[in-house]
C-alpha cells in the first residue's frame, strides 16, 4: 500500500486514529465478557429493591424516566463499572451507547417461540455431541441481537435481560468444544432471514436447525435443503432433532463441504439461500476470511437470493480490520506518525489482517477522500 505523505492526508489519518482508539479497550472487555458467557448477574431481590428505591426517588423529582428505563440504567451502569470506574469521557460515552442498545426481554415471548415450544426433550448425548439446557437467572445480561454501530463505526452488542428465569437450549460439539444455542440473539438475528425465505430454500450450515425449522413452517416454503459438512452432527440431528419438526417432509439434509456444494449448483436450482457460518465460538473473527470466500463464490448467483447470517456484524468487524490495516501502513510511510504504538493483534486478528493487507497491497492513497473509499465494506467486497 502506498500512502502519500501530505498535511491533508495526515489530518485525515489523525481523525481515523481517534475513531480507532475511542473507548476501544472498554468496549472490547464488555463484548468479550458477554460473548464468553461471563455475564453480569445481579441478585434478583436486592436488585429489585435498589430499582424500586431509585424509581421512587426519580418520581419525587418528577422525572420523565419510566421504571423500565431505571432498571436498564442500573444494569448498564453496573456492567460498565465492572470493567472500569467512571474516570473518563470514554466510560461515559460507552455507558450512554449501551443504554440505547439494552432492553428488557419478555420471557413469555421467548417461551412461546415455536422452536422452543416444540423441543421439549431432555438432555441427550452421543460420542461427539451433547444436547442440554441452561437455566438463565433473572437479570442476567445476554446478547439480544447482532452487533451494531450506533455511531457509525465501533461495533457494540445489543444487550437484554429477562426478569424471570428462562431455559436456553445448547448443543456442544465434544470434539472441538464449540457450541450452538438458540438464544435471544439467534432468534432476533435470524428473523429477517426467515421472513425472506421462500420457494426452494438452501440452508448452508445445520446448527441446531432453528432456521430450517422456522422456515419449514411457512406456507410459501416448498422445501429446505440443508448442507452440513459434519456427518456426526447430521446423525445426531436426525435421531434427536428431526422427529420434533412439524414438517419433516420438507427437510432434506446433505453431507457436503459448503464451498464445494455452492460451487457446483446452478443459479436456478434454489430460490433462496441462507448461509450461517457462525460456528458458536467466541471469536467469530476467525470466520471472516471464510465469509469473504462465500461472498466471492455467491457473486455468480443472479436469480437465487443469498442471505448471510450476521452479515451486518461481519461488516462492522471487517471495517474495523480495514482501519487496522490502514493504521499500520500509514505508520510505516508517514514520518509524523511513526511514533504511534503498534496494534496488539491476537492470532485471529492477525489472520484477518494479513488477508486484507494482501487484498489491498496495490492500493494507493493520494487524496484524503481515498480513505473514505477504501475503508469501506462494499469496496472490499468489490476488490475480492
Amino acid at each position: 500500500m502506498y500512502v502519500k505523505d501530505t498535511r491533508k492526508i495526515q489530518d485525515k489519518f489523525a481523525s481515523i486514529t481517534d475513531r480507532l482508539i475511542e473507548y476501544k479497550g472498554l468496549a472490547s472487555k464488555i463484548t468479550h465478557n458477554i460473548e464468553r458467557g461471563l455475564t453480569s448477574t445481579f441478585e434478583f431481590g436486592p436488585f429489585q429493591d435498589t430499582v424500586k428505591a431509585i424509581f421512587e426517588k426519580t418520581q419525587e423529582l418528577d422525572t420523565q424516566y419510566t421504571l423500565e428505563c431505571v432498571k436498564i440504567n442500573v444494569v448498564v451502569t453496573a456492567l460498565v463499572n465492572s470493567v472500569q470506574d467512571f474516570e473518563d469521557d470514554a466510560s461515559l460515552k460507552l455507558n450512554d451507547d449501551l443504554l440505547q442498545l439494552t432492553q428488557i426481554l419478555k420471557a413469555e415471548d421467548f417461551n412461546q417461540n415455536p422452536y422452543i415450544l416444540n423441543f421439549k426433550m431432555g438432555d441427550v448425548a452421543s460420542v461427539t455431541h451433547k444436547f442440554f439446557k441452561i437455566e438463565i437467572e433473572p437479570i442476567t445480561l445476554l446478547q439480544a441481537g447482532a452487533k451494531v454501530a450506533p455511531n457509525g463505526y465501533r461495533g457494540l452488542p445489543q444487550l437484554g435481560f429477562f426478569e424471570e428465569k428462562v431455559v436456553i437450549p445448547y448443543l456442544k460439539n465434544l470434539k472441538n468444544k464449540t457450541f450452538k444455542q438458540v438464544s435471544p440473539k439467534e432468534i432476533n438475528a435470524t428473523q429477517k432471514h426467515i421472513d425472506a425465505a421462500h420457494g426452494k430454500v438452501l440452508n448452508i450450515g445445520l446448527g441446531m436447525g432453528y432456521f430450517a425449522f422456522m422456515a419449514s413452517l411457512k406456507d410459501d416454503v416448498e422445501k429446505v435443503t440443508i448442507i452440513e459438512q459434519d456427518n456426526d452432527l447430521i446423525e445426531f440431528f436426525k435421531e434427536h432433532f428431526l422427529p420434533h419438526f412439524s414438517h419433516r417432509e420438507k427437510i432434506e439434509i446433505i453431507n457436503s463441504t459448503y464451498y464445494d456444494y455452492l460451487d457446483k449448483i446452478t443459479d436456478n436450482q434454489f430460490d433462496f439461500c441462507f448461509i450461517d457460518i457462525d460456528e458458536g465460538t467466541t471469536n467469530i473473527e476467525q470466520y471472516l476470511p471464510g465469509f469473504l470466500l462465500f461472498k466471492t463464490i455467491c457473486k455468480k448467483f443472479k436469480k437465487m437470493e443469498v442471505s448471510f447470517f450476521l452479515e451486518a456484524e461481519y461488516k462492522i468487524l471487517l471495517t474495523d480490520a480495514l482501519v487496522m490495516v490502514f493504521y499500520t501502513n500509514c505508520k510505516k510511510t508517514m514520518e509524523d506518525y511513526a511514533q504511534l504504538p503498534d496494534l496488539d493483534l491476537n492470532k485471529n486478528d492477525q489472520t484477518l489482517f494479513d488477508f486484507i493487507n494482501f487484498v489491498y497491497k496495490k492500493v494507493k492513497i493520494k487524496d484524503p477522500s481515498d480513505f473514505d473509499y477504501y475503508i469501506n465494506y462494499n469496496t472490499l467486497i468489490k476488490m475480492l
Side-chain angles (χ1 to χ4, degrees), residues 279-306:
E279 293 297 307
T281 71
T282 59
N283 296 311
I284 66 172
E285 288 88 342
Q286 66 185 290
Y287 294 101
L288 284 171
F291 166 75
L292 293 174
L293 180 55
F294 274 120
K295 292 290 288 188
T296 304
I297 293 174
C298 290
K299 280 185 176 181
K300 70 176 184 177
F301 299 121
K302 306 302 179 184
K303 297 179 181 179
M304 180 177 71
E305 181 183 349
V306 181

Side-chain angles (χ1 to χ4, degrees), residues 72-132:
I72 291 173
N73 204 318
V74 171
V75 172
V76 170
T77 300
L79 174 64
V80 177
N81 273 323
S82 72
V83 294
Q84 179 171 309
D85 292 333
F86 286 107
E87 298 175 350
D88 51 33
D89 291 340
S91 302
L92 294 171
K93 189 172 188 311
L94 176 61
N95 189 80
D96 289 343
D97 285 340
L98 289 176
L99 283 175
Q100 306 302 316
L101 296 172
T102 304
Q103 60 180 303
I104 298 178
L105 302 170
K106 299 185 184 301
E108 181 180 1
D109 291 345
F110 179 79
N111 291 329
Q112 291 301 311
N113 178 279
Y115 183 97
I116 300 298
L117 278 174
N118 264 39
F119 288 77
K120 297 296 186 182
M121 59 189 182
D123 295 359
V124 292
S126 68
V127 176
T128 59
H129 291 83
K130 180 181 180 181
F131 171 83
F132 56 101

Side-chain angles (χ1 to χ4, degrees), residues 222-233:
E222 178 183 338
K223 184 178 181 180
V224 181
T225 300
I226 305 169
I227 309 303
E228 174 55 51
Q229 53 194 17
D230 183 348
N231 194 56
D232 291 327
L233 174 58

Side-chain angles (χ1 to χ4, degrees), residues 216-364:
S216 68
L217 296 178
K218 298 181 63 178
D219 292 337
D220 60 343
V221 169
E222 178 183 338
K223 184 178 181 180
V224 181
T225 300
I226 305 169
I227 309 303
E228 174 55 51
Q229 53 194 17
D230 183 348
N231 194 56
D232 291 327
L233 174 58
I234 291 176
E235 294 304 316
F236 188 86
F237 186 88
K238 285 181 176 179
E239 181 177 356
H240 300 292
F241 284 80
L242 199 54
H244 296 272
F245 273 57
S246 306
H247 294 282
R248 295 188 290 279
E249 74 283 356
K250 290 186 179 183
I251 305 298
E252 178 186 17
I253 306 175
I254 298 174
N255 181 211
S256 172
T257 303
Y258 305 142
Y259 305 117
D260 289 342
Y261 191 86
L262 279 172
D263 201 35
K264 292 176 182 177
I265 64 173
T266 59
D267 195 9
N268 60 356
Q269 199 166 335
F270 296 93
D271 300 298
F272 181 86
C273 175
F274 173 62
I275 298 178
D276 177 5
I277 60 170
D278 179 11
E279 293 297 307
T281 71
T282 59
N283 296 311
I284 66 172
E285 288 88 342
Q286 66 185 290
Y287 294 101
L288 284 171
F291 166 75
L292 293 174
L293 180 55
F294 274 120
K295 292 290 288 188
T296 304
I297 293 174
C298 290
K299 280 185 176 181
K300 70 176 184 177
F301 299 121
K302 306 302 179 184
K303 297 179 181 179
M304 180 177 71
E305 181 183 349
V306 181
S307 186
F308 294 88
F309 181 58
L310 295 184
E311 180 166 10
E313 186 165 330
Y314 283 126
K315 180 177 180 179
I316 293 169
L317 291 168
L318 284 165
T319 304
D320 194 17
L322 281 168
V323 173
M324 291 192 295
V325 169
F326 275 78
Y327 175 90
T328 301
N329 281 284
C330 287
K331 272 178 75 308
K332 292 177 181 178
T333 58
M334 298 168 63
E335 292 183 3
D336 284 2
Y337 294 100
Q339 78 282 0
L340 289 174
D342 292 330
L343 291 173
D344 184 19
L345 301 177
N346 60 35
K347 184 178 179 181
N348 295 321
D349 287 338
Q350 188 66 55
T351 299
L352 181 61
F353 179 93
D354 292 341
F355 178 83
I356 293 180
N357 202 31
F358 174 78
V359 174
Y360 276 62
K361 64 180 180 179
K362 295 183 179 180
V363 165
K364 295 181 179 180

